[in-house]
Amino acid sequence: MLFERNKMYKRSSLHDQYGGNRQRGISPSAKHDMIFIFDMKNSSFEYTNHWDKKEGLYYYNGEGQIGDQTFTSGNKALLRHIERSKDVYLFEEIGNSMYRFIDQMILIGYDIQFGSDKNHQQREVIVFTFEPIHSVFEGAHNFFEKMKYKTSDELHLIVKQNLQKVSGSSTAIRKQQIRERSAAVYYSILARANNHCEACGSPSPFETEDGAYLELHSLYSHSDQIILLPGLGAAVCPNCHMRLHKGKDRSQYNEQLQHKIIAKLIEEIGRP
């Protein structure tokens, strides 16, 4: 993980290195594929950011201090972070411009609630529901066994699920959907690789009880744990995986792999 959980970071140092707005609670970086969300304690009016410890979920208010909140700017960035492969990092304010890193988060969904704005006027508030990415990763393993036996068409339908539905789905269903989708994407990528490393083209180095061994690599994100669209990941051999993360030419090698996967996706679209 890019940041160490529970470690203190100076906010100005984060922005010096990664960019992003230095004042707002939602701070997308223009230089990196990441979004910072800051749980700030000194807001001029009440926010309702909070954890549901029992469910392991974090609820975060959208930005916009006056009037109804809308899906623009930082709110839009959070809503679309999965499809745009932007990592979301949660920091909690401690004081003296210091923030504690809580975890890397993934959006489960959102709801529209009623609250008060800065002028104490009634308005609509966007409340995002997040879950730590490691919890989703661990839960996805519960779906792996059933995914092994699904056809490509069945996997494709699961991958196309809308994860940001406002109504009609409980939080429990949303949590299940994102785990199921993560497992489906994993097996979709393995099927596309056809037992060969998608970076170097070599056959998988060995067989496991479940089949050919290949590792999942995120093409655009810092985290390989959760990939929710097949085009954002690749199945690679352990040697290439280390090269993609540690090699001197890792940026160029990853870019080459991105082009290979794009070519594969274009070829799949052209098939009858």
Side-chain angles (χ1 to χ4, degrees):
M1 187 176 290
L2 190 62
F3 302 103
E4 183 179 338
R5 269 184 267 175
N6 294 317
K7 183 177 178 179
M8 306 298 180
Y9 294 86
K10 191 172 184 179
R11 179 163 181 176
S12 59
S13 297
L14 289 172
H15 294 302
D16 287 343
Q17 184 171 359
Y18 299 106
N21 188 286
R22 295 169 182 263
Q23 305 297 325
R24 293 184 176 180
I26 305 172
S27 180
S29 169
K31 300 189 294 184
H32 301 273
D33 290 328
M34 61 176 62
I35 304 169
F36 295 123
I37 52 176
F38 296 98
D39 190 341
M40 299 184 290
K41 306 303 182 186
N42 60 347
S43 300
S44 57
F45 63 106
E46 184 179 359
Y47 276 99
T48 57
N49 305 331
H50 67 281
W51 282 93
D52 181 332
K53 297 295 184 181
K54 183 179 180 181
E55 296 293 332
L57 298 174
Y58 178 71
Y59 296 92
Y60 189 80
N61 274 27
E63 66 179 10
Q65 298 186 6
I66 299 176
D68 292 339
Q69 292 183 347
T70 59
F71 286 107
T72 55
S73 192
N75 295 333
K76 182 179 180 180
L78 288 182
L79 179 68
R80 303 182 68 179
H81 90 91
I82 290 174
E83 63 187 89
R84 295 193 171 184
S85 198
K86 304 283 188 180
D87 293 337
V88 175
Y89 298 100
L90 171 62
F91 289 83
E92 179 185 48
E93 185 177 22
I94 302 302
N96 297 321
S97 300
M98 298 299 294
Y99 286 77
R100 179 171 61 234
F101 175 59
I102 304 301
D103 216 330
Q104 184 179 344
M105 311 297 284
I106 192 164
L107 183 65
I108 300 298
Y110 71 89
D111 290 292
I112 303 297
Q113 300 182 6
F114 290 101
S116 299
D117 66 10
K118 191 174 183 178
N119 297 327
H120 306 290
Q121 298 297 310
Q122 191 80 354
R123 51 96 172 253
E124 291 184 348
V125 176
I126 301 167
V127 180
F128 294 101
T129 305
F130 287 98
E131 190 172 12
I133 197 169
H134 67 84
S135 296
V136 178
F137 177 71
E138 292 162 4
H141 283 268
N142 296 329
F143 290 90
F144 278 6
E145 191 65 30
K146 66 170 67 174
M147 293 300 162
K148 294 178 187 177
Y149 308 106
K150 291 190 178 294
T151 66
S152 296
D153 288 342
E154 288 173 329
L155 291 172
H156 183 65
L157 286 175
I158 295 171
V159 169
K160 287 179 65 178
Q161 288 181 125
N162 180 8
L163 297 177
Q164 282 87 42
K165 288 180 68 177
V166 179
S167 60
S169 295
S170 68
T171 300
I173 291 175
R174 293 176 191 172
K175 289 175 68 174
Q176 177 174 303
Q177 284 178 333
I178 203 164
R179 285 158 170 73
E180 184 180 36
R181 178 170 170 170
S182 176
V185 168
Y186 176 77
Y187 278 99
S188 295
I189 292 173
L190 287 181
R192 186 186 66 205
N194 193 26
N195 301 334
H196 287 71
C197 173
E198 294 189 290
C200 68
S202 300
S204 63
F206 59 87
E207 293 283 324
T208 71
E209 293 180 354
D210 296 324
Y213 181 80
L214 291 169
E215 297 177 353
L216 198 62
H217 171 69
S218 176
L219 295 167
Y220 303 95
S221 167
H222 292 283
S223 174
D224 293 324
Q225 287 188 315
I226 295 294
I227 298 172
L228 292 172
L229 289 171
L232 301 180
V236 297
C237 67
N239 188 57
C240 282
H241 203 185
M242 288 302 294
R243 181 178 174 184
L244 286 160
H245 282 287
K246 303 291 185 181
K248 187 176 180 180
D249 65 339
R250 58 187 179 275
S251 295
Q252 298 94 319
Y253 199 46
N254 190 70
E255 187 174 347
Q256 291 172 17
L257 181 55
Q258 289 173 0
H259 291 310
K260 289 179 181 178
I261 299 305
I262 291 171
K264 278 191 172 186
L265 295 174
I266 293 173
E267 183 181 351
E268 287 179 0
I269 293 172
R271 289 173 186 163

